Amino acid sequence: MRATSCATGRARMRARSTVLILALLGSAVLAACGSGAAPKPGATTAPPTTTTTRVPRHGLLHSLNDRTLCKVVTPIDAGLLFRASARRLVLAPRAGGAAASCAYDHPGDSLLLRRLLQVHVFPSAQYFGPQFYPGAVPLRGLGDRAFKAPAGPLRTPVVEFVKSNKTVSISYTNGAFPPRAYPPVPMLLLAGKVAAAL
């Protein structure tokens, strides 16, 4: 007897859910189409109002992953920094929390003296961190906020910026930066290119 009442209760719930869904769909269709009633003779109607909806502009990186990032950051960009050829590292080193990473190195370099370009895009502005880089200098005209930081002990030059609530970090090493060397010009140009794609 109890099993029968449970089955009957479930059938009633399914029927109620179906009726509710059909009612919601019907009201949505009626709202979209209008009531269909003709205006009364002599009645005045207001002119239709127009509204402008701003559609967000999506850059090349609207679907963010390693592949799309590496379409923006190319071997040519890395080659300008290296002043030599560059190859993409398929298994790019990924910074913790990064939504996308792209890295290039020079095929002829040794592990000790290695040219390496790394670009990481993080999913929010909370990853922006000039406080972690001694000597960081604010940059204007690059995203919402940006900085560049010089090389230091165990540290390479860095450019970081925030745009569209994403943090982009670009670092480059050639294995021989003098202390306090700021990012080279091609690195700043690359940052502008990535910012334009966001």
Side-chain angles (χ1 to χ4, degrees):
M1 177 80 167
R2 186 175 184 112
T4 305
S5 65
C6 285
T8 305
R10 277 189 238 126
R12 284 185 187 152
M13 289 298 289
R14 271 189 244 124
R16 286 181 189 156
S17 297
T18 303
V19 169
L20 180 62
I21 290 170
L22 290 174
L24 289 172
L25 285 172
S27 63
V29 168
L30 284 175
C33 296
S35 65
K40 294 181 183 176
T44 59
T45 58
T49 59
T50 60
T51 57
T52 304
T53 304
R54 202 167 159 221
V55 178
R57 183 185 155 272
H58 293 294
L60 296 171
L61 293 177
H62 67 276
S63 63
L64 190 59
N65 58 45
D66 293 356
R67 192 173 48 99
T68 57
L69 180 58
C70 286
K71 282 185 179 180
V72 173
V73 180
T74 66
I76 294 170
D77 298 315
L80 287 172
L81 282 167
F82 299 167
R83 295 184 179 160
S85 63
R87 69 173 172 202
R88 178 178 170 206
L89 297 177
V90 179
L91 298 174
R94 183 178 295 276
S101 295
C102 185
Y104 290 92
D105 72 353
H106 176 63
D109 288 347
S110 71
L111 286 176
L112 295 175
L113 257 145
R114 182 179 185 195
R115 286 170 272 196
L116 179 65
L117 168 67
Q118 297 183 73
V119 180
H120 303 287
V121 181
F122 298 91
S124 74
Q126 76 179 20
Y127 292 90
F128 185 72
Q131 69 274 16
F132 299 112
Y133 297 93
V137 176
L139 287 173
R140 290 195 174 139
L142 184 62
D144 303 324
R145 49 196 164 142
F147 73 89
K148 64 180 180 178
L154 303 174
R155 197 178 64 241
T156 64
V158 171
V159 175
E160 237 180 62
F161 66 90
V162 173
K163 184 176 178 195
S164 302
N165 198 36
K166 291 179 179 62
T167 301
V168 177
S169 178
I170 302 172
S171 63
Y172 164 62
T173 183
N174 65 4
F177 273 113
R180 297 178 302 282
Y182 277 93
V185 171
M187 199 168 156
L188 298 173
L189 295 173
L190 176 60
K193 181 181 177 185
V194 175
L198 284 176

